[in-house]
């Protein structure tokens, strides 16, 4: 920024230089890494990276993150290579979120860590898989935001900072993330979903361009890039008025809700995008019931022993961690033996 001079010395640690930059250029409401509420287990500071940068890297190098490339976003087993997966969705959410954070002078590293980790616990087969697990995992149900935090903290032992944990947990819950950075990811998750799912629906022939309601082009713009740019500009302009919350203006928020209702009706329900949903739900349900009884198979799959009272949660861990293709392959091996 003009007029800002970052004073460093050749011997000053790289992490300290990054922290000095945060102190100098970020907005007063931004979450600074040196002010983090910390981790459940204390760790020596990294000489190179800030605390939020470490969390970002832990997400990126995790096994759960790599598995996202073979998990459904909306279209189960699509014919074609250009449809979104849970991984490409995660990357789009993260990049949109970083753009908003940068424009508002907020912490891009924190936004990136939350964005990369927000769907680590998502099930195979998208929302269909989550729905059936939620019905079966009683009491308590199953919600992917809670599972994402469990994957990061308990299953992959990432020992994340409080701010990243808060952002992951609240990205789909009724609560509001404490940090503005977490609020950015929560909103941009919806922005990315609606825009790329609409584009994929047109590509799949579920919708034609001329079937899109006129208000979409009139308010947001004719193309996906136009729509995202319009929403980003509105988020930045509206939120920068007071930095109290990350929010859209009424002029954009109301049409955005209309857009969501349209996508829910025409894409998420009652379309041929759902033709594989019943099959996917059957796969998840039969695997869940099977491994609730097959303790040895469950422990072999998890690679660890479990206690008897942990069985339902361990089964949910095992199945939600599967990719679409690994779940289908296991289903075929268990229930459709070859002659």
């Amino acid at each position: 920024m003009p007029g800002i001079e970052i004073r460093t010395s050749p011997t000053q640690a790289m992490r300290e230089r990054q922290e000095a930059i945060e102190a100098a250029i970020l907005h007063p409401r931004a979450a600074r890494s040196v002010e983090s509420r910390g981790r459940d287990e204390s760790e020596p500071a990294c000489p190179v990276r800030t605390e939020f940068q470490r969390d970002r890297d832990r997400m990126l190098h995790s096994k759960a993150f790599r598995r996202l490339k073979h998990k459904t976003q909306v279209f189960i087993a699509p014919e074609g290579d250009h449809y979104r997966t849970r991984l490409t969705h995660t990357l789009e959410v993260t990049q949109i979120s970083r753009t908003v954070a940068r424009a508002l002078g907020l912490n891009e590293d924190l936004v990136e860590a939350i964005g990369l980790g927000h769907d680590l616990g998502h099930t195979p087969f998208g929302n269909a898989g989550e729905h059936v697990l939620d019905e079966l995992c009683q009491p308590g149900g199953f919600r992917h935001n809670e599972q994402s935090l469990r994957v990061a903290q308990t299953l992959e032992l990432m020992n994340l900072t409080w701010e990243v944990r808060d952002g992951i947990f609240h990205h789909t819950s009724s609560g509001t993330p404490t940090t503005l950075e977490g609020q950015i990811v929560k909103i941009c998750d919806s922005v990315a979903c609606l825009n790329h799912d609409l584009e994929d629906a047109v590509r799949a022939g579920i919708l034609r361009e001329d079937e899109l309601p006129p208000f979409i082009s009139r308010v947001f713009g004719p193309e996906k890039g136009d729509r995202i740019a319009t929403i980003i500009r509105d988020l930045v302009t509206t939120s920068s008025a007071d930095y109290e919350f990350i929010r859209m203006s009424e002029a954009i928020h109301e049409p955005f809700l209309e857009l969501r209702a349209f996508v829910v009706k025409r894409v998420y329900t009652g379309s041929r995008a759902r033709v594989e949903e019943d099959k996917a739900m059957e796969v998840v349900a039969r695997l869940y019931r099977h491994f609730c009884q097959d303790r040895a198979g469950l422990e072999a799959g998890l690679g660890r022993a479990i206690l008897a009272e942990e069985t339902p949660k361990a089964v949910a861990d095992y199945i939600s961690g599967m990719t679409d293709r690994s779940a289908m392959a296991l289903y075929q091996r268990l229930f459709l033996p070859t002659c």
Side-chain angles (χ1 to χ4, degrees), residues 53-307:
Q53 289 170 347
R54 295 177 84 181
D55 285 355
R56 173 203 62 201
D57 293 350
R58 290 175 185 184
M59 302 294 181
L60 191 62
H61 293 287
S62 68
K63 297 186 295 294
F65 183 80
R66 295 194 292 275
R67 290 196 298 268
L68 295 177
K69 67 180 178 180
H70 294 302
K71 291 192 178 190
T72 290
Q73 173 60 25
V74 169
F75 293 87
I76 299 172
E79 294 182 3
D81 296 328
H82 296 155
Y83 294 91
R84 269 68 173 197
T85 65
R86 191 61 58 175
L87 178 62
T88 59
H89 161 73
T90 294
L91 297 176
E92 290 186 37
V93 171
T94 302
Q95 189 55 49
I96 296 170
S97 299
R98 286 194 61 180
T99 299
V100 175
R102 181 177 298 177
L104 287 169
L106 300 176
N107 197 313
E108 291 181 57
D109 293 328
L110 175 55
V111 158
E112 189 171 20
I114 297 170
L116 292 176
H118 81 282
D119 270 356
L120 290 184
H122 218 296
T123 60
F125 309 118
N127 292 335
E130 180 171 13
H131 177 72
V132 70
L133 271 188
D134 187 44
E135 289 186 338
L136 292 170
C137 295
Q138 298 299 330
F142 179 94
R143 283 163 286 277
H144 80 268
N145 60 313
E146 297 176 1
Q147 187 68 16
S148 293
L149 187 56
R150 176 173 168 80
V151 167
Q153 289 296 95
T154 304
L155 303 182
E156 297 226 12
L157 303 176
M158 294 188 197
N159 193 29
L160 302 173
T161 56
W162 183 91
E163 292 76 11
V164 174
R165 301 197 309 268
D166 174 78
I168 290 174
F169 182 82
H170 287 112
H171 86 270
T172 58
S173 71
S174 58
T176 300
T178 302
T179 64
L180 294 178
E181 289 83 357
Q183 293 174 32
I184 287 174
V185 175
K186 183 168 186 170
I187 292 178
C188 291
D189 186 23
S190 295
V191 172
C193 277
L194 293 184
N195 279 284
H196 62 48
D197 293 349
L198 191 63
E199 184 180 45
D200 279 357
V202 172
R203 175 179 290 110
I206 290 169
L207 288 172
R208 299 192 312 271
E209 290 282 357
D210 59 9
E211 291 182 297
L212 302 182
F215 80 86
I216 296 177
S217 179
R218 185 178 67 252
V219 175
F220 300 105
E223 304 292 338
K224 182 196 70 170
D226 300 322
R227 294 192 291 267
I228 292 176
T230 296
I231 294 171
I232 287 175
R233 286 194 298 268
D234 185 76
L235 280 172
V236 172
T237 301
T238 306
S239 304
S240 63
D242 55 22
Y243 280 84
E244 288 299 317
F245 295 98
I246 303 300
R247 65 190 189 278
M248 300 177 190
S249 67
E250 286 301 315
I252 293 297
H253 187 243
E254 290 302 320
F256 184 78
L257 294 179
E258 290 183 53
L259 173 60
R260 175 186 290 169
F262 174 78
V263 174
V264 168
K265 180 179 180 180
R266 293 297 306 274
V267 180
Y268 298 158
T269 60
S271 80
R272 61 185 177 85
R274 308 265 60 88
V275 295
E276 297 292 320
E277 189 171 276
D278 288 345
K279 182 190 297 184
M281 294 177 73
E282 173 67 12
V283 168
V284 172
R286 289 196 69 179
L287 288 176
Y288 181 87
R289 296 189 180 103
H290 173 83
F291 283 109
C292 280
Q293 303 300 319
D294 182 9
R295 180 187 176 94
L298 175 63
E299 292 185 349
L302 287 170
R304 61 179 173 84
I306 60 169
L307 301 174

